[in-house]
Amino acid sequence: MGLIAPLALGALAAILLPLWLHRREVPSNDRQRFPSAQFLDASPRPSRIVKKWQYLTLLAVRTLLLAAIAFAFAKPYLERDPAAEPITADAVHVLVVDTSLSMQRGEAMAAARRTANRIVATIPDSDAVFAARLTERGVEIDTTPLLGNERRAFIDALNAGAWRLDYADVARALQQFAERFSGTAVTAYVVSDLQQSAVPARFADLVPAAPLTLAIERIESAASNARIAAVRDGGSELIVDLAADSEATLEQRSLTVRVNDQAPISFPVTNPTTAIPIAALELDQAENSVTVTLTGDDAIASDNTRFAIIDRSPPRDVFLLTAAADSASELYLSAAFAAGADFRLVTATADEFDRRELGRQTWLIVDDPAALPSDLVESIRRFVAAGGAALVIGGEATLAAGDWQLPARRAVGGGSSERLFASVTNVTRDHTALGDAAPWTAVRVARFVPVELNTTDRTLVELDTGDPLVFESSLGDGRLVVLTTPLDRDWSDLAQRAVFVGFVLDVARTLAGSSDLERQFTLADTLPINFTTSGSGEVVAPDGSQRVSAGTLTSAGRVLLDIPGFYEVYTEARQWRIAANPDPRESDPTTMTTTLEERWKNAVTAAAGNDSPVVAAAPDRDPDTKPLWPWLLGAVALLLLAEQLLSNWFIGRQPNGQRYA
C-alpha cells in the first residue's frame, strides 16, 4: 500500500483530542460524605460496566473517525502484485497482435484474427501461450497463460484501438518476458501491418537482448484512406491540412467545421493535396474549440475528425517600470514581445504608473530597481510577496547603491570581469525559462551587477567569474527572475544574441503561469502537471468524467489522455482547454521493406532447444494500483453518523442529564 499525500497523516495528532476530552469528562470516584444530605435517599447508581462500555465505544468511534479523515486526505492506494503461480509447460509462446489505430484500415483486423487463430491452432495444449496487449501505456504481456478455449476467445475479442504501436516497446516487453524464462525456448509471434512509422530510429532497439525466436506475420491492406493531418490558425482564416493515399478517396467529400457551440458549417473539398483555407468562421477573441470532420467513409474513420484549440486571445499587457521612458530595456523588450503574440509591453515611469494596476497584474518587469522611488519598490515587494512575479533587471543605480532592494540582496564586488568580458559557462537545463545552452555560450558580458545570493536563490545562468547572470529567487508567495546585466550594449551583447527573444518570451510565459499551457496533445500523452503536489486541480475528460478526483492518475500524478476530444483543465492558477487527437503517424500507409523485416528476424538470437518441461514463474509487470480513499470517505460518513447516534443515545440514558461522553 502507498500514499499519494503522506504529509496529511500529520492530522492523526487530532486523535489526542477525544482522548483528552474523554479523560476529562469521566466522573471521579472520590466521593465525600456531606452532613446535610445524610437523611436523603440515595439515587440508584448506574452500572459501572454499562458506563465503561459506553465510554469505550464512543471513544473508539471518535478515534476511528479522525483517523479515517486523516487517511482519506493522504489518498492511500493498494498495489496488487499481478505475478501468477509457477507454471509447467513443454514450451513458451508469446502472441503479439497489433491492435493499433492503423489496423482499422480495411479488413486488416479481421485478417490479423484469422492469422492469430491459425498460429495458436498449431500450438499444443501442453505449451504455455501468453498474450501481449497494446494499451495506452505501451505493450504489456499477461502474467498468466491462456488455456484451451481461452486462446481463441482472446483472439476473437481483439479490435483495433486508438493507440500507436512502437516496435521498440514490443522488443522491450519481449526481452523482459524472455529473461524470466532463461535457458528456455521462447517463441514470439508478431502479427502486424508492419508500419514504417512504428520502427524506432535505432535498429538496435528492435532486437531484444534475451534470446528467443521471432516469427513475423505481415498483414496486408490495400484500402485507401484520407485524413485530416492538422488544423492551424492562419490569422484571418483557418487552415485545414488534408492528406490521402489517393485523390480518389477525397472525391465528392466535404469538411464540416464546428467552432465552440456554433452550428456546424460545411465546405467542399476542392484541393485535396494542399492546405484548405476556411475564412467564413466567427472566432472569438479568446480560446476557440474547433472540431473539423471529413465527411464520408474510408479505411480509417478515427482520423477523419480532428480537434484543435485556436487561441485568438488579445495580447496581455505587461508593465515595464523604469526611471527613463526611453531606456534600452524598452527598446529591446518591445521588439522581443513583438515576436510573440501573448504579451504587449506597456512602459511606465514612477510618476505615470497607477499603483492600482498591481491588483490587476500577475507579473511585471522592473528595470534598475534602485533607480525607482522607495515607496514604489515597497509596493512591488508587497505585490510579489502576495503571489505575484517580476522580472528584475539590474542597472547603474543598483550597482552604485550596492543594494538590489528587489530582492533584498547586497551588490558585492565591482561588477566587471578582470578580462575584457565574461562568458557563460553553466546553464540550468531543466528550467522552463531557459532553452538550449548553446546560444547562451555566445553571450559576452562586460559589466554586471554582482549579488550576494542566499540559500534559497537558484542560479540559472552562470558566468565564468562564478557570478550569476540570471538567478531565481522567492519572495513570500511570489517569485523573481533576476537578470544581473542591463540591456545596454555597453554592458553586454545579450539583447543582440539569438537567445534573447526566446529567453524573454519563455520568462514571460513562466512568470505568467502559462509555460505549461500546451493546447495540442496526442492520445496516450500525459498532462505536464503533477496533481499529487499541486495542492488542488481537476481535469474533466470529453465524456464528462473527472480524472483527478476519480484517482485515475499515473504513478507520477499526471492525467493520462485516453479519449479524443477536448479536456477542461482546472488548477489553482487558471482554467484552460486542451485538445487530444490520435497519433497522425498511425495513418501513414508506408510499411517496412521486406529486407528490414528479414533483418529484424535474423537479428533476434534463437534460444537453444530444451527438451525438458518448463517450470518458471510468469513474468513480472508493474503492480496494479487501486485507490482506497473513496472507500475511506464512505467510512467517514458512516462513522460520523454512528458518532452522532451514539452520542445522543448515551447522553439521553444518563441520570439527571449527566454527561459522561
Side-chain angles (χ1 to χ4, degrees), residues 87 89-94 123 126-130 174 177-189 210-214 604-616:
I87 63 167
D90 292 339
V92 175
H93 307 265
V94 183
I123 299 175
S126 58
D127 291 359
V129 177
F130 291 87
L174 290 176
F177 182 90
E179 287 173 351
R180 298 288 299 186
F181 297 92
S182 178
T184 300
V186 177
T187 302
Y189 302 91
L212 53 86
T213 300
L214 179 64
V604 178
T605 305
N610 190 345
D611 296 333
S612 59
V614 179
V615 180

Side-chain angles (χ1 to χ4, degrees), residues 24 41 64 100 156 209 226 293 311 314 336 353 394 414 428 437 582 654 657:
R24 182 173 178 271
D41 293 333
L64 288 174
S100 63
D156 291 342
T293 302
D311 192 358
F353 183 65
T428 301
Q654 304 303 326

Side-chain angles (χ1 to χ4, degrees), residues 95 116-117 120-121 125 127-131 133 142-158:
L95 184 63
N117 277 317
V120 298
D125 291 339
D127 291 359
V129 177
F130 291 87
R133 302 174 189 269
D142 287 349
T143 58
T144 56
L146 299 173
L147 303 176
N149 294 331
E150 292 179 352
R151 301 175 183 178
R152 187 176 184 88
F154 167 77
I155 295 171
D156 291 342
L158 291 175

Side-chain angles (χ1 to χ4, degrees), residues 336-356:
F337 283 138
D342 297 337
F343 304 97
R344 182 175 69 94
L345 189 70
V346 177
T347 304
T349 62
D351 296 334
E352 299 170 343
F353 183 65
D354 186 352
R355 311 295 171 86
R356 292 173 297 181

Side-chain angles (χ1 to χ4, degrees), residues 85-410:
E85 295 295 328
I87 63 167
T88 300
D90 292 339
V92 175
H93 307 265
V94 183
L95 184 63
V96 183
V97 180
D98 186 354
T99 57
S100 63
L101 178 67
S102 64
M103 294 296 289
Q104 294 184 16
R105 183 183 293 270
E107 297 296 321
M109 200 66 233
R113 286 192 291 265
R114 290 193 299 269
T115 302
N117 277 317
R118 174 174 52 80
I119 291 172
V120 298
T122 64
I123 299 175
D125 291 339
S126 58
D127 291 359
V129 177
F130 291 87
R133 302 174 189 269
L134 175 60
T135 70
E136 63 272 18
R137 292 178 173 85
V139 177
E140 298 178 353
I141 300 178
D142 287 349
T143 58
T144 56
L146 299 173
L147 303 176
N149 294 331
E150 292 179 352
R151 301 175 183 178
R152 187 176 184 88
F154 167 77
I155 295 171
D156 291 342
L158 291 175
N159 286 295
W163 314 117
R164 176 178 180 265
L165 178 65
D166 190 326
Y167 295 131
D169 291 340
V170 175
R172 191 179 304 111
L174 290 176
Q175 175 177 328
Q176 295 173 354
F177 182 90
E179 287 173 351
R180 298 288 299 186
F181 297 92
S182 178
T184 300
V186 177
T187 302
Y189 302 91
V190 176
V191 182
S192 173
D193 57 1
L194 299 183
Q195 268 194 306
Q196 180 62 37
S197 62
V199 177
R202 298 192 316 159
F203 178 79
D205 293 335
L206 281 172
V207 184
L212 53 86
T213 300
L214 179 64
I216 300 177
E217 296 285 347
R218 182 188 289 260
I219 302 299
E220 302 282 357
S221 177
S224 297
N225 179 57
R227 54 198 176 274
I228 300 176
V231 177
R232 299 178 286 121
D233 187 0
S236 60
E237 56 192 9
L238 199 66
I239 307 297
V240 179
D241 295 323
L242 295 181
D245 300 343
S246 65
E247 292 188 12
T249 59
L250 286 170
E251 290 181 354
Q252 298 181 349
R253 300 179 69 171
S254 62
L255 290 173
T256 300
V257 182
R258 184 184 183 93
V259 177
N260 301 324
D261 295 326
Q262 301 175 17
I265 305 175
S266 294
F267 300 88
V269 175
T270 56
N271 192 352
T273 59
T274 60
I276 299 179
I278 300 177
L281 294 173
E282 295 182 6
L283 297 178
D284 298 335
Q285 294 300 306
E287 294 179 356
N288 296 271
S289 301
V290 178
T291 304
V292 182
T293 302
L294 179 64
T295 62
D297 298 327
D298 56 20
I300 303 177
S302 299
D303 59 10
N304 289 347
T305 299
R306 190 162 186 89
F307 306 93
I309 298 294
I310 305 299
D311 192 358
R312 292 285 182 87
S313 301
R316 286 175 281 177
D317 290 342
V318 178
F319 280 92
L320 168 64
L321 302 183
T322 180
D326 57 349
S327 64
S329 295
E330 179 188 21
L331 173 65
Y332 292 115
L333 289 173
S334 297
F337 283 138
D342 297 337
F343 304 97
R344 182 175 69 94
L345 189 70
V346 177
T347 304
T349 62
D351 296 334
E352 299 170 343
F353 183 65
D354 186 352
R355 311 295 171 86
R356 292 173 297 181
E357 287 290 342
L358 291 175
R360 294 187 283 268
Q361 302 300 315
T362 57
W363 75 287
L364 47 81
I365 304 174
V366 182
D367 184 27
D368 202 358
L372 300 176
S374 58
D375 61 328
L376 177 57
V377 174
E378 181 60 29
S379 297
I380 299 172
R381 185 180 290 111
R382 290 196 298 268
F383 159 75
V384 175
L391 169 62
V392 180
I393 303 175
E396 195 72 57
T398 300
L399 179 62
D403 186 358
W404 274 88
Q405 299 187 36
L406 190 72
R409 305 283 188 275
R410 288 198 314 117

